[in-house]
Amino acid sequence: MESLPTTAKPERRARSKPLYTSKPSIFMAFFSCLAWLYVAGRLWQDAENRKLLASLLQKNASQRSLILSVEEKLQVLGCKDLERRIVEVEMDLTLAKSQGYLKNQLRQSGSSSEPSRKLLAVIGVHTGFGSRLRRNAFRGSWMPKGDALKKLEERGVAIRFVIGRSANRGDTLDRNIDKENQSTKDFLILEGHEEADDELPKKAKFFFITAVQNWDAEFYVKVEDNIDLDLEGLIELLEHRRGQDGTYVGCMKSGDVIAEEGKDWYEPEWWKFGDKKSYFQHASGSLIILSKNLAQYIYINSASLKTYAHDDVSMGSWMIGLQATHIDDNRLCCGSVRQDKVCSVV
């Protein structure tokens, strides 16, 4: 028997589509893997480093002495260099003190006509605009004039009348002084100072500043123009004190501080001198002698030196804080009756 023909259906097979992966994705995955490995390695390395540092710190802490020596403390604080600098500064201060409170010698700024060699003394006779007759009297008595004044400087003593300038610069007062100086050539004119009765302490300061700048001398002497001098006696006194640094010589006195305004010798800052209102010991203003290094101290520190109502009190206050030797010499008490005194009141 014949079989019936059958229709064969085509067999359907499921076919999967091929997967396509782009090259950029592969590279990104590869680099991500590398980055992860790098980060993991660094984290592991940092952890090991921390362990090593912790162990070293613990070991050093156990070995370190609990009590530090002074040397170790200086090293810890970084003060070794500071200690060296302090020693150097102390050496410089010692040198400055031996040279008149300066490390190097002061520059001599005097005119070429002034002597360049070292003098025994510079004597400044403090005068005023109205004292011409008194100056003329001095020039004819104890004070040399003309060629004799130059010969005295050759011996080592320079004498000058000391005066400032008028409040009205260039007026008749200034012109008269300039004219007198052209004739006598015996003035030290303080160009930066205004001449006035209430400015005498500043005038004393300006004198020492200018004298130190112009002359190199063993001593600097301030003299008022109301006294006569035994010049040879003063020179002999100074000769005996050559080489004595830090000497402050004069007729020492104290005296009451006048607190009542309007009275003679009134001191506006009386309250600074204590309840007893008495001045400290200081040289009388008639004649005061300073050694070179003390005069240089005034020159160097002039801007910070306090002045009081009176010039001798002001100078005494400058000397109090220094290593100065106060020498009370009765021969410099101009009002005394001693026979061997070197000055007398006119």
Side-chain angles (χ1 to χ4, degrees), residues 92 95-96 99-107 296 300:
D92 286 342
L95 179 61
Q99 295 183 346
Y101 309 103
L102 278 179
K103 185 174 181 180
N104 299 315
Q105 291 184 348
L106 286 172
R107 178 179 62 86
Q296 287 180 340
I300 299 164

Side-chain angles (χ1 to χ4, degrees), residues 26 67 132 160 168 185 196:
I26 295 174
I67 301 176
R132 179 164 186 171
R160 295 290 187 275
N168 302 313
K185 302 187 186 305

Side-chain angles (χ1 to χ4, degrees), residues 100-166:
Y101 309 103
L102 278 179
K103 185 174 181 180
N104 299 315
Q105 291 184 348
L106 286 172
R107 178 179 62 86
Q108 301 302 322
S109 59
S111 63
S112 58
S113 61
E114 300 295 350
S116 58
R117 65 186 180 86
K118 189 169 186 177
L119 302 176
L120 171 64
V122 175
I123 301 174
V125 184
H126 289 226
T127 188
F129 291 121
S131 300
R132 179 164 186 171
L133 293 179
R134 189 175 295 176
R135 290 192 293 270
N136 288 336
F138 287 169
R139 294 184 183 110
S141 58
W142 63 266
M143 181 175 173
K145 58 182 179 179
D147 293 337
L149 188 64
K150 294 181 180 179
K151 289 180 179 179
L152 182 64
E153 290 191 32
E154 293 174 1
R155 288 180 54 191
V157 178
I159 304 179
R160 295 290 187 275
F161 287 111
V162 181
I163 196 168
R165 286 299 190 183
S166 169

